[in-house]
Amino acid sequence: MARIPSAAVAATGLVGGYGVARWTGKRQLGGAVLAAAGTAAAVQWRRAAGGRAARALGAAYVAAFAGSHPLAKKVGAWPSVLGVAGAVALASWAVADRRS
């Protein structure tokens, strides 16, 4: 089975979590998507780059989620979510995926 890069998992969690919350009107469901993808990415980060890197990338993932809210007030919801998802994906690739 093909391995999905952690960068794609993390970006999909941020974008998918927002999309699910927006389209269903259920923020908790979007949060579940966000948490599931974040957990899956964290497992991959730990395997690829170790615990310290996984904690740093996990903090970046949570900070991106939190930071997308005030950023959305300036640039709009979708641009904000896509921007932070791209930033987390780039960090994930640089720290964990580039090695494989």
Side-chain angles (χ1 to χ4, degrees), residues 22-24 33 42 48-49 52 54 58 72 80 87 90 92-93 96:
R22 180 165 181 158
W23 291 317
T24 64
V33 170
R52 187 170 169 203
S80 173
L90 181 61
S92 180
W93 175 82

Side-chain angles (χ1 to χ4, degrees), residues 9 13-14 17 28-42 61-62 65:
V9 174
L14 289 160
Q28 299 87 349
L29 189 56
V33 170
L34 180 81
T39 300
Y61 186 80
V62 172
F65 167 70

Side-chain angles (χ1 to χ4, degrees), residues 23-81:
W23 291 317
T24 64
K26 298 186 185 314
R27 295 179 75 174
Q28 299 87 349
L29 189 56
V33 170
L34 180 81
T39 300
V43 169
Q44 288 184 278
W45 293 330
R46 181 177 299 266
R47 285 184 188 148
R52 187 170 169 203
R55 286 187 296 278
L57 288 168
Y61 186 80
V62 172
F65 167 70
S68 69
H69 292 81
L71 182 60
K73 293 180 181 181
K74 297 185 184 301
V75 300
W78 278 112
S80 173
V81 170

